[in-house]
Amino acid sequence: MPIPEDVTGDEIDKDVRQELQSLPKGLAEDVAKNLVMVARLIDEDPEGAYAYSKVALRLASRVAAVREAGGFAAYANQKYSEALAEFRAARRMTGNVDLWPVMADCERGLGRPEKALDMAGAPEVHKLDKAGQVEMRLVAAGARRDMGQLDAAIVTLQSPELASNSVQPWTARLRYAYADALLAAGRESEAREWFAKAVEADRDGSTDASDRLAELDGVEFVDALDEDEDEGEDGDEAESRGAHQADGDSDSDDGDSDKD
């Protein structure tokens, strides 16, 4: 896979760089560059990120950071079985529980919501930081919805983090998930309230809460490009009508001349 000239490999996190020190220098640089490409592409071009992750895995599959990157690239491409295998490998290497929520979400992706709920109740959850615990709550609520348990999903999301007025990195997504669950349960007025709260917290546009709120308010968005095209067509029609009218006037004048 080609690596752009502006990628040096120094862009990676210092902890990952430290992990790569176990490799020969040239190999470590190659792996680092591929990991940079995974991070760069994973949101906009997940297939491209996946391709770079496979190169990194081929070069250094015994490095936990590489296995983790491979897991996230597979996850972004909905290759949940492969992602779960990579996450499990990374966890075995490090003993870290940070990947527990995304591992549980892979179980959901594989059609095993019951397994995801089992993981939500496991001792590992208590070892997660606050962000990880919120993520686990989101996964558990999603598993409840997968099983058709809407009321249970709503209750799962009700937490001190949801009630808090302080805005944290997870706040918008938590409020959004709660609003979406309320809407699915037919509680539209409450859903509108929480979509509005999600908009307030969504400072980086990580959700489409504003669009969902507008939809509930009956606001329709018109594509400006389509509108311009419509105006162009109307203008063409007007010009055509004007031309026909002019032809008609000309014919009328000719008729008058004939009368004379």
Side-chain angles (χ1 to χ4, degrees):
M1 295 288 293
I3 303 290
E5 292 183 2
D6 65 316
V7 174
T8 65
D10 294 333
E11 301 89 341
I12 61 173
D13 183 86
K14 64 178 182 180
D15 292 334
V16 177
R17 190 180 301 114
Q18 187 172 358
E19 279 192 64
L20 295 179
Q21 287 178 355
S22 63
L23 303 173
K25 184 177 180 181
L27 179 60
E29 290 177 355
D30 289 342
V31 173
K33 289 178 181 180
N34 279 281
L35 292 181
V36 170
M37 293 306 299
V38 173
R40 177 180 288 190
L41 298 176
I42 197 162
D43 291 327
E44 302 298 328
D45 180 13
E47 290 185 2
Y50 179 74
Y52 281 104
S53 76
K54 299 302 284 186
V55 175
L57 282 166
R58 189 171 66 249
L59 295 173
S61 62
R62 294 185 179 181
V63 176
V66 173
R67 302 302 289 267
E68 183 175 329
F72 278 110
Y75 179 81
N77 284 275
Q78 300 182 3
K79 299 178 183 292
Y80 298 116
S81 181
E82 184 177 337
L84 186 57
E86 297 298 345
F87 290 142
R88 283 174 174 166
R91 184 169 178 268
R92 282 195 302 271
M93 292 175 180
T94 64
N96 199 318
V97 298
D98 291 352
L99 295 171
W100 197 254
V102 71
M103 289 168 64
D105 205 40
C106 285
E107 296 288 1
R108 283 187 61 210
L110 291 168
R112 301 193 292 246
E114 298 88 350
K115 177 63 176 176
L117 287 176
D118 288 344
M119 293 179 69
E124 284 82 354
V125 176
H126 300 295
K127 300 176 184 178
L128 295 169
D129 61 14
K130 182 61 68 177
Q133 291 178 5
V134 170
E135 195 65 36
M136 193 71 247
R137 191 177 291 277
L138 288 166
V139 173
R144 291 291 185 189
R145 291 190 63 172
D146 293 343
M147 299 166 68
Q149 301 173 2
L150 286 176
D151 290 339
I154 290 169
V155 171
T156 298
L157 293 168
Q158 292 171 343
S159 61
E161 293 81 16
L162 179 68
S164 175
N165 289 324
S166 67
V167 175
Q168 302 294 335
W170 62 77
T171 302
R173 292 177 58 240
L174 183 58
R175 292 178 180 179
Y176 182 95
Y178 188 58
D180 195 44
L182 288 169
L183 187 60
R187 295 160 61 175
E188 187 171 314
S189 61
E190 293 173 85
R192 189 203 176 283
E193 175 188 351
W194 281 96
F195 275 128
K197 290 182 178 181
V199 171
E200 292 174 2
D202 195 359
R203 295 167 179 171
D204 59 357
S206 61
T207 74
D208 64 347
S210 59
D211 292 342
R212 299 293 298 277
L213 183 61
E215 184 180 331
L216 286 173
D217 288 341
V219 177
E220 293 186 8
F221 294 99
V222 178
D223 191 304
L225 183 59
D226 292 342
E227 195 174 60
D228 291 342
E229 289 177 353
D230 291 341
E231 288 179 359
E233 291 174 0
D234 291 342
D236 291 342
E237 290 177 5
E239 289 180 9
S240 178
R241 286 196 298 271
H244 287 312
Q245 183 65 46
D247 289 344
D249 292 343
S250 176
D251 291 342
S252 177
D253 291 343
D254 291 342
D256 290 343
S257 296
D258 291 341
K259 287 178 184 177
D260 292 339

